[in-house]
Amino acid sequence: MTDSVPTIRLAVLDIAGTTVDEGGAVYRVLAAVATDAGHPPADAELRRWMGADKRAALAALTGTDDAEQIERLHDDFVARLHEAYAAAPPEPLPGVPAALAALRGAGASVVLTTGFDRQVTGPLLAALPREFTGELDGVVCAEEVGAGRPDPAMIHRAMELTGVTDPAAVLTAGDTVLDVEAGRNAGAALVVGVLSGAQTRDELGAASPTHVLGGVADLPALLQVAPAV
């Protein structure tokens, strides 16, 4: 890295649509579960909950605050998502494994954060190649910290896991407005919106990221890090 960019010691990255291509299954399933519960979501409403904790999203989309009902909806969501992933297994987005290797080679830890719980995250990661998962220093799920995005709690936990105490040494990246807001709320030095997933340049730009890039594969160039060989 050079003096023209911050020295990044931790990259906190979203999973679906940011580092992993899961074909948009999560939002199709989320919409289907809400619809079958009698609350078909408008596209704008669904997009508002992209990147959020999935229990919180289901509660909002169906208009319920009943904890048992939310758990039933979430169980349905998890079961359907497993079926979707079995039919079309997720894969790393192009260039992501090499980008993660480059970041770690330059001295940065890499932690994934997600609004999925471990019921979804575990099988999803198990389906991915070692060249991807072997570059990870940790994974944080929203349910484990008691708050989903835009709360910065998952980023703070990633910092704790890796011993990084200064947000000026942290980069965050994600494909949704909530990802960007969480990065800004954490005070991260670089808050990157990526166009590889759910939302557009205009949508991400409205949340004031420091950068909007095509994808995580572009992070080494942003940080002026040599590509992995």
Side-chain angles (χ1 to χ4, degrees), residues 1-204:
M1 299 181 191
T2 74
D3 292 338
S4 62
V5 295
T7 299
I8 296 300
R9 296 302 180 201
L10 171 62
V12 182
L13 313 174
D14 174 50
I15 298 183
T18 299
T19 54
V20 175
D21 179 5
E22 48 82 70
V26 60
Y27 296 112
R28 290 197 304 274
V29 171
L30 198 65
V33 171
T35 297
D36 288 352
H39 300 273
D43 182 65
E45 185 180 14
L46 186 64
R47 295 178 76 81
R48 189 177 306 121
W49 288 95
M50 289 178 172
D53 172 83
K54 298 307 174 282
R55 287 180 175 83
L58 287 164
L61 292 172
T62 60
T64 183
D65 59 3
D66 183 285
E68 291 185 1
Q69 175 66 5
I70 292 168
E71 281 305 309
R72 287 193 293 271
L73 291 168
H74 187 263
D75 288 346
D76 188 17
F77 168 77
V78 169
R80 295 193 197 195
L81 194 61
H82 282 183
E83 292 176 0
Y85 286 165
E91 299 178 344
L93 280 159
V96 167
L100 302 188
L103 293 174
R104 294 184 84 231
S109 298
V110 175
V111 175
L112 302 185
T113 60
T114 179
F116 297 151
D117 65 9
R118 290 287 170 177
Q119 288 177 284
V120 174
T121 304
L124 187 157
L125 293 178
L128 297 170
R130 177 67 182 171
E131 65 173 347
F132 178 94
T133 57
E135 300 296 344
L136 303 178
D137 295 288
V139 179
V140 180
C141 298
E143 65 168 352
E144 297 166 349
V145 297
R149 307 178 183 110
D151 193 289
M154 287 194 288
I155 299 170
H156 292 161
R157 177 62 61 83
M159 294 173 67
E160 292 172 4
L161 290 174
T162 56
V164 175
T165 58
D166 186 356
V170 176
L171 173 151
T172 68
D175 67 309
T176 71
V177 166
L178 292 182
D179 290 311
V180 173
E181 291 176 346
R184 290 184 60 82
N185 289 338
L190 297 178
V191 179
V192 180
V194 294
L195 300 173
S196 52
Q199 296 187 313
T200 66
R201 181 180 294 274
D202 286 346
E203 286 174 316
L204 295 173

